[in-house]
Amino acid sequence: MTKPMKRGAIWGIILFAIMIINIIIALLLRNSEAVLFKSVIDLLLSLIAFIGSIFYSIGFIALAKKTNIKLLKIVYYIFLILTIIGIIVLVPSGIYRIYVSATNPDLLLSTRLGSDLNKTINVPNLNQNNKISPEIAGTILGSLIALMFGLLFLIILISLGFITLIVLEGVGLIKLGKEFPLAKTTGILYIVMIGLVLTIIGIIFAIPLALAIGIMKIILLFQASKKYEEGKIRTK
């Protein structure tokens, strides 16, 4: 049971490395037209990250089972399911992006995206006596407004769900603090981070805090794995 925790911690380090590599690649290729190369790298790194997230979640599930923290176990099972769904969505979309990069790379170049879409859709020039009746204009405008509100509602719903999961994870980690003081500190910081995010202005402080929390969770998995291997903590 200790191996999943150690494996999860190792994958946590790999996830941090992938994040740094992604940032470096984004900076190096920000003005590059090598869209095929970037699409392939993005898919590979994303796939590795998702697989790593599975092992990372399994590590915390193992820890939650060892300490009998049901809330933490449920939260990470949900994370695990969401990660698997993410892989199912990622693979076909990533392959399609690679296909587009190989066959029509101009579509993925931001500098030419607008002109390409214009040529494809043949947007009418309103200055050339092309008129749209008020009824059609009203229908189009109403549909766009409905779509915008629908998307906004969906984004808010997903955001609230994610925030709820993070808060529950924080509470679960605080409960774990009876065995591991570092877990309690991490849980409290999680809730503080959510508070900063909700203030909007505090997002700038939430980002470095999130990185610190990620490092603390990796240390926690290593710490828990070591203590259980040494028999210092009994399974509940």
Side-chain angles (χ1 to χ4, degrees):
M1 186 63 79
T2 59
K3 286 183 179 179
M5 287 185 273
K6 185 180 288 185
R7 194 180 297 120
I10 293 169
W11 272 105
I13 296 171
I14 294 171
L15 289 173
F16 260 92
I18 289 173
M19 181 182 67
I20 293 169
I21 292 169
N22 261 323
I23 292 171
I24 293 171
I25 290 175
L27 291 173
L28 291 176
L29 300 179
R30 59 183 174 180
N31 296 319
S32 172
E33 294 188 1
V35 289
L36 178 58
F37 173 76
K38 190 175 185 302
S39 297
V40 172
I41 294 297
D42 282 347
L43 177 60
L44 288 175
L45 289 178
S46 298
L47 194 56
I48 293 170
F50 272 111
I51 292 171
S53 297
I54 289 175
F55 287 106
Y56 187 67
S57 295
I58 290 172
F60 273 99
I61 289 170
L63 177 57
K65 286 181 178 179
K66 278 277 190 180
T67 53
N68 199 27
I69 307 295
K70 293 181 180 179
L71 179 60
L72 196 62
K73 182 171 67 175
I74 291 169
V75 168
Y76 271 97
Y77 267 123
I78 294 172
F79 281 139
L80 185 61
I81 292 167
L82 292 175
T83 303
I84 293 170
I85 293 171
I87 292 175
I88 294 170
V89 173
L90 170 73
V91 174
S93 62
I95 292 173
Y96 176 73
R97 184 180 174 86
I98 291 171
Y99 169 75
V100 173
S101 300
T103 57
N104 197 356
D106 287 345
L107 284 176
L108 297 179
L109 293 173
S110 59
T111 54
R112 298 182 61 180
L113 182 58
S115 61
D116 285 332
L117 285 177
N118 225 10
K119 294 172 186 175
T120 304
I121 300 172
N122 290 322
V123 177
N125 189 343
L126 295 178
N127 294 326
Q128 296 178 353
N129 298 321
N130 290 311
K131 296 181 179 179
I132 299 176
S133 68
E135 293 80 7
I136 295 175
T139 302
I140 293 172
L141 183 60
S143 299
L144 287 173
I145 291 172
L147 179 62
M148 287 174 61
F149 274 105
L151 288 173
L152 181 62
F153 177 75
L154 184 62
I155 291 169
I156 291 172
L157 196 64
I158 292 171
S159 299
L160 287 175
F162 185 72
I163 288 171
T164 302
L165 276 177
I166 296 298
V167 171
L168 291 175
E169 182 185 4
V171 173
L173 288 169
I174 290 171
K175 288 184 177 182
L176 190 61
K178 295 178 182 179
E179 299 287 355
F180 304 96
L182 180 62
K184 185 176 182 179
T185 305
T186 307
I188 293 170
L189 288 178
Y190 248 132
I191 295 171
V192 170
M193 181 187 71
I194 292 299
L196 290 171
V197 170
L198 291 176
T199 62
I200 307 299
I201 299 174
I203 290 176
I204 191 171
F205 301 105
I207 294 171
L209 188 59
L211 293 173
I213 289 170
I215 293 170
M216 291 170 73
K217 286 170 69 178
I218 292 170
I219 294 171
L220 174 62
L221 282 176
F222 274 124
Q223 189 182 75
S225 176
K226 185 178 179 182
K227 284 190 175 183
Y228 278 111
E229 282 178 354
E230 294 174 351
K232 292 181 179 179
I233 299 175
R234 294 180 181 178
T235 304
K236 292 185 178 182

